[in-house]
Amino acid sequence: QVQLRESGGGQVQAGDSLKLSCLLSGAPIGLYAMGWFRQVPGFEREFVAGISWNGGATYYGDSVKGRFTTSRDHPRNMVYLEMTNLKPEDTAVYYCAADPSTIPRMNTSPRFWGQGVQVTVGS
């Protein structure tokens, strides 16, 4: 069974950087397109970033373009989200997602999800 576990969340100040990690267990990560989403309580889930199976294609939500970068490390079965120039509006629970058939993007429903990790950005 595929499981995802995020790490690296925390509390930072506006303008700081933070790197989230997601470990996929139960299968080789190369079988899955990966993605990141975030959600604030009371609001809809928001697409953040998606990456293809071999990392050759990446996609980003409009609100994070130019500030966030996603990458994958197959030997470690990991995917990362590097976040720079963080803003208070980036505060949310961030979720890692995996899908064998579709690159996670806006309006997709990835098959596997992590538990989420809190990121809080102070002003």
Side-chain angles (χ1 to χ4, degrees), residues 7-70:
S7 61
Q11 185 165 352
V12 297
Q13 295 301 306
D16 286 350
S17 299
L18 199 62
K19 183 176 181 179
L20 303 183
S21 300
C22 174
L23 173 66
L24 186 150
S25 59
I29 198 170
L31 296 178
Y32 298 92
M34 304 296 295
W36 294 90
F37 294 78
R38 66 188 183 186
Q39 189 166 23
V40 176
F43 291 82
E44 290 190 357
R45 184 178 67 200
E46 180 186 6
F47 166 71
V48 175
I51 186 167
S52 63
W53 292 261
N54 65 0
T58 54
Y59 305 88
Y60 297 94
D62 289 342
S63 62
V64 306
K65 280 180 183 176
R67 300 188 299 122
F68 290 14
T69 303
T70 188

Side-chain angles (χ1 to χ4, degrees), residues 59-105:
Y59 305 88
Y60 297 94
D62 289 342
S63 62
V64 306
K65 280 180 183 176
R67 300 188 299 122
F68 290 14
T69 303
T70 188
S71 60
R72 55 196 299 157
D73 183 339
H74 286 196
R76 291 182 169 83
N77 250 36
M78 300 279 284
V79 65
Y80 305 103
L81 183 69
E82 294 190 77
M83 306 182 290
T84 64
N85 191 21
L86 282 160
K87 305 175 181 180
E89 51 264 42
D90 293 319
T91 295
V93 177
Y94 284 72
Y95 297 90
C96 176
D99 195 276
S101 304
T102 304
I103 299 173
R105 297 182 69 177

